[in-house]
Amino acid sequence: MQTETRNKIIDMIRREVVPAMGCTEPIAVALCVAKAKEILGKTPDKIEVGLSGNIIKNAMGVGIPGTGMVGLPIAVALGALIGKSDYELEVIRDVSPEAINEGKKMIEEGRIKIFHIPCTPSNLHIEVKVKSDDSSCREAEAVISGAHTHFVRLSKGGEVIFNETESDGTNDDSADFPLTMETVYEFATTAPFEEIEFILEAGRVNKKAAELALSGDYGHSLGATIRKCGMTLFGDTPLERMISLTSAACDARMGGASISVMSNSGSGNQGITCTLPVVSYAEDIGTDDETKARALIMSHLTSIYIKQSLGRLSALCGCVVASTGASSGLVYLMGGDFQQVCAAIKNMVANLTGMICDGAKPACAMKISSGVSTAVMSAMLAMNGRCVSEAEGIVAKDIDRTINNLTVIGREAMLETDKLVLKIMVEK
């Protein structure tokens, strides 16, 4: 692979695999509020937040780190009070008890208005308008669209400061290097170790989140429950360790723990699922750092490839994507070749396609556990020469067409499902 191509892929991985504190949807909202507040130059007196349906769906039921509270209002308030846009997806990492109390007061006083924008240019769309009673500057606006940290419009006092149509048009999605599964495999297996060693940090960061949850009480404590009570069913096995470690990190993240995880394609849960099954199994078999790094690259880059076609937010649960990546990484650790990696992916597509996303929440740990279990099963089948054939379901003979079949279902065919899920959630 040419150096220029490798560098583009490395840049893409570094952009897509980044630290995030808390669920990325409410955190992205807090980021947008923080930017608008910074433009205004003071803490606003009133905040108006307009959101796409997918943002609302993914922000309703998750804990906000360090607050003991759930949902968007406190995220909005903290973005205005202590948020720093330079921190990006760790925007509210300076949260304090004083800020939480002030945020509660802001909510109680009715200074925050949150509403749904039915038609938006992207499933990931956030519009924030902050207002001040001070006559020196009464209003500022910030808009994020397309990616969690991608600002497309900024204004102050009605005067546009930045508008993407007036810039070079570059954003996170258009900058992606177009991938194929063959390119993913070639890069993961041939890139110099020193160029990809950085991915090991994802394992260290996400394992730390898992260990926190295993020793505490976050979300539904699925990871800790499996670790403590699951021995009679799972035994002391690599599968038990993969499932408990991965679900525990999700418990911590969805339960509002004040800890960052390494995300993938804007999702912390996807980053966890891409990472921890691979790390856990690599440690069980005693592999070296280079082999572990290549397996992690295989997992993360496969997920990035699928998300290029699917989009950052969709009706298809992100654990389907991330656990498919994990399965490819597990095959690599088992000594599999390109054809066996492709077989594992086809086995995953045949099994998990259609799992709906009904918002980010503590119960995501259960979906992630289902994905990890399926990833192991799919990898085992592939290593034993078993692969779902093109005569079955949406699986095609060509691996890239198979992945496209998965993503077109999630991106297009499940749109009405997505609308109905949101309707059910907001009318409960």
Side-chain angles (χ1 to χ4, degrees):
M1 181 175 287
Q2 294 181 348
T3 302
E4 182 182 358
T5 299
R6 286 206 319 271
N7 288 341
K8 288 181 179 179
I9 294 174
I10 289 168
D11 287 345
M12 182 168 59
I13 296 171
R14 286 187 177 277
R15 184 172 62 250
E16 299 290 6
V17 182
V18 296
M21 178 175 282
C23 178
T24 45
E25 278 68 57
I27 295 302
V29 174
L31 172 63
C32 200
V33 173
K35 174 65 81 172
K37 181 269 303 272
E38 290 164 1
I39 295 170
L40 187 68
K42 59 169 291 185
T43 300
D45 295 300
K46 294 182 181 178
I47 307 169
E48 296 179 359
V49 181
L51 304 170
S52 59
N54 283 82
I55 292 289
I56 293 174
K57 184 178 73 172
N58 281 340
M60 287 177 61
V62 292
I64 306 303
T67 68
M69 299 175 69
V70 171
L72 280 166
I74 190 63
V76 171
L78 291 177
L81 293 166
I82 52 92
K84 292 184 174 71
S85 64
D86 287 346
Y87 291 171
E88 294 196 324
L89 293 180
E90 296 178 296
V91 59
I92 60 170
R93 71 185 186 200
D94 292 337
V95 63
S96 65
E98 294 76 18
I100 295 169
N101 289 333
E102 186 63 28
K104 290 178 179 178
K105 182 180 177 182
M106 182 179 283
I107 295 167
E108 290 167 359
E109 291 174 349
R111 293 163 59 189
I112 298 171
K113 179 184 177 183
I114 300 170
F115 57 94
H116 177 217
I117 305 175
C119 297
T120 55
S122 168
N123 286 339
L124 196 168
H125 190 82
I126 304 163
E127 296 182 6
V128 172
K129 187 175 290 186
V130 294
K131 299 180 180 180
S132 170
D133 295 334
D134 186 346
S135 59
S136 62
C137 179
R138 292 188 178 276
E139 186 175 290
E141 178 190 34
V143 179
I144 284 176
S145 193
H148 292 81
T149 60
H150 180 218
F151 288 95
V152 297
R153 179 180 170 86
L154 304 171
S155 69
K156 181 176 182 178
E159 181 179 345
V160 175
I161 299 171
F162 169 77
N163 192 321
E164 187 173 77
T165 58
E166 299 168 2
S167 71
D168 61 5
T170 301
N171 62 57
D172 283 353
D173 291 325
S174 66
D176 279 346
F177 180 83
L179 294 168
T180 65
M181 199 58 222
E182 188 173 4
T183 302
V184 169
Y185 183 86
E186 181 183 359
F187 176 83
T189 56
T190 65
F193 174 51
E194 60 271 17
E195 294 183 8
I196 61 172
E197 188 176 7
F198 68 88
I199 199 66
L200 294 172
E201 181 65 12
R204 289 187 283 268
V205 169
N206 290 352
K207 190 175 181 182
K208 186 176 179 182
E211 290 170 343
L212 174 68
L214 288 172
S215 62
D217 184 13
Y218 296 93
H220 295 302
S221 290
L222 177 61
T225 300
I226 293 171
R227 180 63 56 91
K228 181 180 179 181
C229 307
M231 287 298 172
T232 55
L233 293 173
F234 293 101
D236 185 15
T237 64
L239 178 61
E240 180 275 324
R241 287 186 284 277
M242 277 188 266
I243 295 175
S244 61
L245 200 68
T246 309
S247 57
C250 180
D251 287 330
R253 180 172 176 266
M254 295 287 95
S258 296
I259 193 165
S260 294
V261 301
M262 204 67 82
S263 63
N264 180 291
S265 303
S267 168
N269 281 350
Q270 287 170 202
I272 288 167
T273 309
C274 286
T275 303
L276 289 179
V278 174
V279 168
S280 179
Y281 186 63
E283 291 176 352
D284 270 333
I285 64 176
T287 190
D288 57 58
D289 281 350
E290 180 173 346
T291 304
K292 186 195 299 185
R294 294 191 185 282
L296 283 170
I297 289 290
M298 187 83 73
S299 178
H300 277 277
L301 196 55
T302 297
S303 298
I304 290 168
Y305 168 36
I306 297 172
K307 293 293 284 188
Q308 282 185 336
S309 175
L310 179 64
R312 293 181 182 274
L313 298 178
S314 74
L316 186 69
C317 177
C319 92
V320 174
V321 176
S323 55
T324 299
S327 190
S328 69
L330 292 173
V331 168
Y332 180 79
L333 289 174
M334 294 174 183
D337 59 18
F338 177 65
Q339 293 305 320
Q340 289 164 316
V341 166
C342 293
I345 293 171
K346 290 180 180 181
N347 293 339
M348 292 293 292
V349 170
N351 192 321
L352 289 184
T353 297
M355 182 186 286
I356 65 168
C357 172
D358 55 346
K361 59 202 176 301
C364 286
M366 291 188 282
K367 291 188 176 185
I368 283 174
S369 296
S370 298
V372 173
S373 301
T374 305
V376 175
M377 178 175 63
S378 297
M380 289 172 59
L381 282 174
M383 293 304 295
N384 282 277
R386 303 290 182 175
C387 177
V388 174
S389 72
E390 61 268 29
E392 302 174 68
I394 67 167
V395 172
K397 185 175 182 179
D398 178 75
I399 184 61
D400 297 303
R401 185 175 176 187
T402 299
I403 289 172
N404 182 69
N405 291 345
L406 167 71
T407 60
V408 76
I409 288 172
R411 189 180 66 246
E412 298 178 16
M414 294 177 71
L415 285 177
E416 290 305 313
T417 299
D418 210 25
K419 293 175 184 177
L420 180 57
V421 167
L422 179 62
K423 183 175 184 291
I424 290 170
M425 289 176 66
V426 300
E427 292 182 355
K428 285 191 295 184

